[in-house]
Amino acid sequence: MAESLNAVVVSIEYRLVPEVCFPEQFHDALRATKHFLQPDVLAEYSVDPNRIAISGDSAGGNLAAAVCQQLSKDELLIVRPKLQALIYPVLQAFDFNTPSYQQNMNMPVLPRYVMINYWIDYFNGNYDLAHSLLINNHTALDVHQALTFRGRLNWTSLLPSSFKKNYKPVVQTTGNAEIIQEIPALLDVRAVPLLAENETLQLQPKTYILTCENDVLRDDGVMYAKRLENAGVEVTLDHFDDCFHGCMIFTIWPTDFSAGVQTRNSYIKWLDENL
C-alpha cells in the first residue's frame, strides 16, 4: 500500500479492551495523530503536509471518524487531513434495528449479538443489558437523553429504498433511561460519530466510505455518507453487494478471496486518485 501510493503509512497501536475501555482508545488515537501532524514530525518522515489521509476499518473506522471530527474543531491545528477513508466503519449504538442489522442479524463474522457485546466491552458495561440494547430500550421515546439525537439517525430518511426494503423501524414507546445513565457513552459522539451535529459534519474532509451488503454495519456507513453529503462534504460511497464485514483482510493466499481483493483494490484506487 505504501509503495502503491508513494506514501508513508502509520499504524496507531492504541490500547485495547480489556486493558482499557472508552475513551482511552479515542485519546490514544487522537494524541498519536496530533503528534504526527506536527510540521517537524512530518518533515522528519518526508511527508507532504498537503497529502494526509486518516483511515481505519471497522472499529478503526470508528476511531478515524471520531478523530477527524475532533481535529476539525481544533482551531490551533496547523496541518489538517485532506481526506478520510472509512472501511465498513462502526459509527453508532443508537439503533440496533436498522435494516442492515435486521437483515444480517445472524450473518457470520459479525452477527448482531456479537456487535452489541463489543459495544458493551468498549464501554465496560454489563452484559445483562444486551437484550435491552437489542430491542432499542435505551433510545425509547420516553428516554429524554436520546431525543436530541433521534433526528440525526432516522434511517427512514437517510437510507435509499434499495436498502430500506420492507423493514420497519423498531422504536419503543417505553424504555429504560437507566441504561443511558449507566453508560452515557452510548450518546457520546467521540464513541458514536454518526450522532455528531451538522456543524461538525460540515468541517469534515473529503470522504470515502466502503460498505458491504452482508454486514450489520452497512447502514452505519451509508447513513454517515448521506449526513456528510447533506452537510456539503464531498463523499464517495463505495458499496459492494457481494461482500461481508472484514473481507479486506482476505487478500493473501490461501485466503485470497475475490471479496478481499476487489475491496482492497477499490480503496487503494480511490486514495491514489485523491490523495
Side-chain angles (χ1 to χ4, degrees):
M1 181 175 173
E3 293 180 353
S4 299
L5 298 172
N6 187 28
V8 174
V9 177
V10 177
S11 178
I12 298 174
E13 191 174 351
Y14 57 87
R15 291 168 293 168
L16 303 175
V17 170
E19 178 189 356
V20 297
C21 298
F22 175 82
E24 296 311 315
Q25 289 84 350
F26 168 77
H27 288 153
D28 287 353
L30 181 62
R31 277 193 297 265
T33 303
K34 292 181 73 172
H35 172 78
F36 190 75
L37 288 178
Q38 295 177 98
D40 58 331
V41 177
L42 294 175
E44 180 182 346
Y45 290 93
S46 301
V47 172
D48 183 346
N50 297 310
R51 293 184 68 234
I52 294 176
I54 294 180
S55 185
D57 71 292
S58 194
N62 172 287
L63 290 172
V67 165
C68 266
Q69 289 184 7
Q70 191 66 31
L71 293 177
S72 72
K73 295 182 284 188
D74 187 342
E75 297 179 354
L76 299 179
L77 203 64
I78 298 174
V79 179
R80 298 182 181 277
K82 179 183 180 182
L83 311 170
Q84 67 173 333
L86 313 177
I87 313 302
Y88 29 74
V90 49
L91 299 170
Q92 60 89 23
F94 191 93
D95 186 354
F96 291 109
N97 288 275
T98 62
S100 63
Y101 264 111
Q102 294 186 54
Q103 171 183 295
N104 300 300
M105 66 173 66
N106 295 313
M107 185 65 63
V109 180
L110 190 64
R112 178 169 59 174
Y113 78 92
V114 170
M115 189 64 245
I116 290 174
N117 284 341
Y118 283 162
W119 276 116
I120 292 173
D121 288 338
Y122 189 37
F123 296 144
N124 195 26
N126 190 322
Y127 290 127
D128 291 343
L129 299 176
H131 180 71
S132 290
L133 293 172
L134 186 149
I135 62 175
N136 290 343
N137 267 351
H138 61 304
T139 54
L141 294 178
D142 67 339
V143 178
H144 301 301
Q145 302 98 314
L147 292 179
T148 304
F149 301 96
R150 184 165 299 283
R152 302 178 191 175
L153 203 155
N154 180 5
W155 62 256
T156 63
S157 62
L158 292 172
L159 295 178
S161 58
S162 59
F163 287 172
K164 289 187 287 189
K165 301 176 182 175
N166 294 318
Y167 293 106
K168 304 299 181 185
V170 175
V171 181
Q172 305 295 347
T173 302
T174 304
N176 185 356
E178 293 181 0
I179 297 175
I180 298 298
Q181 294 170 7
E182 183 174 337
I183 312 179
L186 285 163
L187 301 177
D188 188 325
V189 295
R190 298 174 301 169
V192 287
L194 182 52
L195 297 186
E197 58 188 6
N198 289 333
E199 289 77 9
T200 298
L201 298 186
Q202 292 170 0
L203 302 174
Q204 299 317 294
K206 187 175 183 179
T207 299
Y208 170 90
I209 300 177
L210 186 150
T211 57
C212 297
E213 182 65 21
N214 304 303
D215 182 5
V216 292
L217 302 179
R218 179 200 68 189
D219 295 343
D220 284 26
V222 175
M223 288 189 290
Y224 197 47
K226 186 63 175 176
R227 288 204 64 207
L228 287 170
E229 185 181 84
N230 290 345
V233 177
E234 186 176 348
V235 180
T236 296
L237 177 61
D238 199 6
H239 181 68
F240 290 83
D241 285 324
D242 57 350
C243 294
F244 55 93
H245 188 81
C247 63
M248 196 182 286
I249 66 172
F250 297 106
T251 58
I252 300 174
W253 188 89
T255 57
D256 50 340
F257 300 159
S258 61
V261 174
Q262 64 177 317
T263 52
R264 179 200 60 190
N265 291 346
S266 188
Y267 164 61
I268 292 179
K269 180 175 183 290
W270 185 88
L271 286 174
D272 186 45
E273 293 173 350
N274 291 278
L275 189 58

